[in-house]
Amino acid sequence: MRTRAQWRDFHHLPFHIYRDDPNWVPPLLLERKLHFSTRHNPYFQHAKAAYWLAYDGAHDRKRPVGRISAQIDRLHLETHGDGAGQFGFIEAIDDADIFAALLRAGEDWLRGEGMTRAVGPISFSLWDQPGLLVEGFDTPPYVMMGHARPYFAPHIEAAGFAPIQDLLAYRYNAALPPIALRIVERLKKRDDVVVRPIRMDKAHFESEVALLLEILNDAWSGNWGFVPMTKAEIADLAGLLKLLLRPGDVAIAEYRGQAAAMAVCFPNLHEAIRDMDGRLLPFNWAKLLWRMKVRRPKSGRMPLMGVRRELQNTPMGAALALAVIQATRDFNFSNGVEASELSWILDGNERVKHIIELVGGMPYKRYRIYQKLL
């Protein structure tokens, strides 16, 4: 990947792969270019990546038919010491040989960098779009969640990759089941519990974001593959939160004077950009601004939810999780949201799955992460 033309082919390839798939959402090409920029994406402060394209044909008639990345995250290696590099952004036409060649290129690069395992697809990290869609092809993905063709999984498995972890996406509606409602109502009567929205004024916003990430990093620290966010990534997230969210989109639960749980609900950007064919110019930028700020999407996604580890596996921890989920959901559904997704959840995390099912969540998409020893 050296020329502007190759980068154009890399970013435009999915438009060919999914051209007849009604559930694929074309990404904004400008956003994708910035995401891959080492100057703009703070991920590259602790990671490096390489990229490959597969072409069909020769000379001026060749066309791109596949792509892949491979990356090494220094923070992941420092945290887990597992010798794992990742592959990601894999897209290709329905051809087992092309998938095998792409994966082999990534494996060879990772092996040459001293890695002993290849894990993926992870694009670029677990904070971005991890996993390959293997169930739930019949509905569009929500913001920051991926889509795929059904043939991807068998081709990746044929190249010697085996499943290592599954992630679930849950769909949930506006009606809180009676048992969950009773738990939350009892919690609200306690003097030592406060559930509140985030404070987004200039004096408090920075400290509030730091508080959210403190809870999140603590809550997720025992999860599979977890790598804490850096200060630069937190600052990047803060900019996104301030741009997209209203105070009611974020709930913080305080217990005995300490912030103990949080939940964040994003408006579903995919709903707003689905008909833009990846382009903001010449007039789509104004359309996007109006759809996000005035009309507002009718769907949302809860990508972040956590309870401090000391309260996990306790009745209070479960009640606080229900309370912050309900607070953000009540705010969104009372302001016109009609559908929502809670994702992603580790398939083996029975505790969190039980909480989500208590609020009426139903699993409807499954994403899979694979590994191969090098």
Side-chain angles (χ1 to χ4, degrees), residues 329-354:
R329 184 170 66 175
D330 283 357
F331 173 80
N332 275 273
F333 278 89
S334 66
N335 282 279
V337 169
E338 299 170 355
S340 190
E341 177 179 286
L342 207 162
S343 59
W344 47 265
I345 310 300
L346 293 169
D347 190 27
N349 195 335
E350 298 298 333
R351 174 182 54 81
V352 174
K353 286 166 61 177
H354 177 67

Side-chain angles (χ1 to χ4, degrees), residues 71-89:
Q71 57 267 2
I72 296 171
D73 185 345
R74 173 176 52 81
L75 290 185
H76 174 91
L77 295 174
E78 291 175 358
T79 303
H80 298 282
D82 57 1
Q86 294 87 36
F87 73 90
F89 301 100

Side-chain angles (χ1 to χ4, degrees), residues 96-108:
D97 290 338
I98 292 174
F99 272 85
L102 289 167
L103 289 163
R104 188 163 53 248
E107 293 166 37
D108 289 345

Side-chain angles (χ1 to χ4, degrees), residues 39-302:
R39 289 183 299 171
H40 289 91
N41 189 340
Y43 168 78
F44 290 107
Q45 294 178 11
H46 54 84
K48 61 180 179 179
Y51 312 92
W52 294 267
L53 278 164
Y55 285 95
D56 183 31
H59 305 298
D60 60 338
R61 301 188 65 180
K62 68 181 181 180
R63 63 187 180 97
V65 292
R67 74 176 194 182
I68 196 172
S69 74
Q71 57 267 2
I72 296 171
D73 185 345
R74 173 176 52 81
L75 290 185
H76 174 91
L77 295 174
E78 291 175 358
T79 303
H80 298 282
D82 57 1
Q86 294 87 36
F87 73 90
F89 301 100
I90 187 166
E91 309 274 6
I93 62 173
D94 189 2
D95 187 310
D97 290 338
I98 292 174
F99 272 85
L102 289 167
L103 289 163
R104 188 163 53 248
E107 293 166 37
D108 289 345
W109 183 81
L110 291 173
R111 190 181 296 109
E113 294 288 330
M115 300 297 101
T116 57
R117 293 196 301 151
V119 178
I122 297 175
S123 310
F124 282 110
S125 75
L126 291 178
W127 297 109
D128 293 329
Q129 293 186 15
L132 176 77
L133 183 69
V134 294
E135 294 177 14
F137 301 97
D138 56 343
T139 53
Y142 275 62
V143 60
M144 296 177 69
M145 295 296 286
H147 193 62
R149 292 287 200 177
Y151 62 78
F152 281 29
H155 289 331
I156 290 173
E157 291 168 11
F161 283 81
I164 186 175
Q165 189 64 245
D166 276 13
L167 315 173
L168 300 178
Y170 282 78
R171 176 167 38 204
Y172 68 114
N173 56 35
L176 199 68
I179 184 173
L181 187 60
R182 289 195 296 270
I183 293 172
V184 172
E185 290 304 314
R186 284 199 301 267
L187 188 74
K188 289 179 178 178
K189 295 177 181 178
R190 294 180 60 118
D191 294 334
D192 56 356
V193 173
V194 175
V195 180
R196 63 172 178 84
I198 189 175
R199 294 172 293 186
M200 300 189 72
D201 59 282
K202 187 175 181 179
H204 295 97
F205 182 67
E206 187 174 327
S207 62
E208 289 281 84
V209 172
L211 183 61
L212 292 177
L213 270 297
E214 178 190 327
I215 298 171
L216 191 66
N217 280 335
D218 179 64
W220 286 35
S221 59
N223 281 358
W224 180 89
F226 170 79
V227 175
M229 282 191 179
T230 65
K231 290 183 179 180
E233 287 168 330
I234 292 171
D236 194 55
L237 176 63
L240 182 65
L241 293 177
K242 197 150 196 176
L243 179 66
L244 293 179
L245 303 188
R246 302 156 294 180
D249 291 320
V250 183
I252 298 172
E254 298 175 352
Y255 174 53
R256 295 179 177 174
Q258 181 188 39
M262 53 78 70
V264 178
C265 189
F266 282 5
N268 185 17
L269 178 67
H270 281 185
E271 180 186 326
I273 68 172
R274 194 171 178 185
D275 62 349
M276 293 184 179
D277 200 32
R279 304 183 184 280
L280 281 175
L281 299 176
F283 304 116
N284 280 343
W285 66 270
K287 186 185 296 183
L288 177 60
L289 186 63
W290 183 82
R291 288 176 176 178
M292 295 299 292
K293 294 294 188 179
V294 181
R295 188 180 72 180
R296 302 288 301 185
K298 300 299 182 185
S299 56
R301 175 182 171 233
M302 185 178 291

